[in-house]
Amino acid sequence: MTLEIEATGQACGARIRGVDLTRPLAAELVAGIRAAWLEHHVLVFPDQPIDDDDLERVTRYFGPFGDDPFLAPIAGRRHVAAIRRDADETTPIFAEAWHTDWSFQATPPAGTCLRSVVLPPRGGDTLFANQHAALDAMPADLRARLEGLQAIHSARLPYAPTGAYGDADQARGRSMDIRPSEAALAEQRHPLLRAHPETGRPGIFGAIGYIVGLEGLDDADAIPLLKELLAWQTRDAFVYRHVWEPDMLVMWDNRSVLHAATGGYEGHARLLHRTTIGER
Ligand code: SIN
């Protein structure tokens, strides 16, 4: 089989054909997929009727499993989480704020894999924003205000007991198995502008939300700057809108893109199974 790589024509992303993810992959093919992943940042594999064994095997081609705090794995698996919303659910859409996965960790995960299980008839797209393109095109005056800054990351706004997915949210009847905890109060610093650990390409790492402040700046200065930055990071010019199909796997590079879930499927269920790829 020959790997076929077709760029989406949007700010990032490519569709990959010529590979059967239900079967073991040769090292050469994995290397080709990894190269495409580093170039396009989001890979979309259509027509792949994979199960969770396949999802775990494919994940492991690209690194160790990442550590997933605050989300309980599905029954019988240690590394697969369900991104779930029931048809009658009225809780806020999970992960609708722009973010890069678990950026509050000391070594955040390299990537994430998400496979479609149940899809609504419309809506529920996932947005990806290319953070290399956003930095490349950034006006010099904004960039000058960001150079050298260390961002303070924390999971406290979503996952602390008082957070968006905390005790009050649990009481609303969210179907996802989220485990808020005081551990979410921890902080971790990462450079706001940094080289991609594998390609060296400069980019913006993280977004307000998991980023709760900037070292050396008062919140009165940091928060407006982070909001201004988010507006730049997520301009349409840098965004790929991913529309899900049955039997589809998507694998993205958390070091290169922000992502965000979207709604628009009220009255319908949506279920995806997710793994994270740790740094090698
Ligand atoms: C996620 O951030 O892992 C979920 C994305 C989605 O539901 O589209």
Side-chain angles (χ1 to χ4, degrees):
M1 277 184 147
T2 311
L3 205 57
E4 296 168 34
I5 303 163
E6 185 192 357
T8 62
Q10 298 183 39
C12 55
R15 282 172 86 91
I16 305 294
R17 294 191 180 274
V19 57
D20 178 356
L21 298 181
T22 67
R23 306 181 70 82
L25 302 188
E28 201 175 280
L29 198 50
V30 171
I33 295 170
R34 190 172 196 102
W37 186 50
L38 294 176
E39 182 179 349
H40 297 282
H41 318 307
V42 182
L43 296 186
V44 176
F45 300 86
D47 303 321
Q48 300 285 346
I50 60 172
D51 60 17
D52 287 330
D53 286 337
D54 299 319
L55 175 64
E56 291 187 338
R57 178 177 45 76
V58 170
T59 304
R60 292 287 288 104
Y61 290 136
F62 299 98
F65 287 116
D67 167 30
D68 289 320
F70 312 121
L71 292 186
I74 60 171
R77 304 271 165 185
R78 285 176 50 217
H79 301 290
V80 180
I83 307 299
R84 170 177 165 183
R85 189 177 174 78
D86 290 346
D88 59 355
E89 194 160 339
T90 56
T91 58
I93 298 290
F94 175 74
E96 208 173 12
W98 286 99
H99 64 287
T100 183
D101 286 330
W102 309 148
S103 67
F104 49 82
Q105 293 182 330
T107 307
T112 302
C113 296
L114 200 55
R115 82 170 179 94
S116 56
V117 180
V118 175
L119 293 178
R122 64 187 167 280
D125 301 344
T126 306
L127 306 177
F128 296 94
N130 182 337
Q131 297 305 290
H132 301 298
L135 183 59
D136 288 349
M138 185 180 282
D141 60 332
L142 177 57
R143 185 164 178 158
R145 288 151 65 209
L146 304 173
E147 289 284 2
L149 288 177
Q150 292 284 323
I152 304 166
H153 296 244
S154 167
R156 68 179 181 237
L157 296 177
Y159 293 110
T162 53
Y165 303 128
D167 298 339
D169 185 64
Q170 298 297 307
R172 276 198 292 252
R174 184 174 290 282
S175 60
M176 272 183 68
D177 195 350
I178 299 178
R179 307 280 173 92
S181 138
E182 298 285 340
L185 302 179
E187 293 182 347
Q188 189 66 50
R189 274 122 178 101
H190 297 292
L192 189 55
L193 309 184
R194 66 166 205 184
H196 185 287
E198 212 170 327
T199 64
R201 194 170 164 194
I204 309 161
F205 183 65
I208 188 169
Y210 284 156
I211 298 182
V212 295
L214 296 168
E215 201 165 69
L217 265 64
D218 292 339
D219 282 356
D221 294 322
I223 301 303
L225 181 55
L226 287 166
K227 286 183 178 169
E228 182 183 345
L229 174 60
L230 183 71
W232 181 264
Q233 289 174 285
T234 58
R235 285 165 73 111
D236 288 350
F238 310 133
V239 171
Y240 160 57
R241 173 177 282 269
H242 175 70
V243 180
W244 287 93
E245 296 168 15
D247 293 333
M248 182 168 263
L249 176 76
V250 173
M251 171 177 140
W252 65 85
D253 187 337
N254 283 304
R255 305 160 300 184
S256 293
V257 295
L258 298 176
H259 64 281
T262 66
Y265 56 96
E266 290 70 22
H268 298 279
R270 180 176 184 265
L271 175 65
L272 302 106
H273 282 184
R274 185 177 110 163
T275 52
T276 54
I277 307 170
E279 280 290 2
R280 295 200 289 199

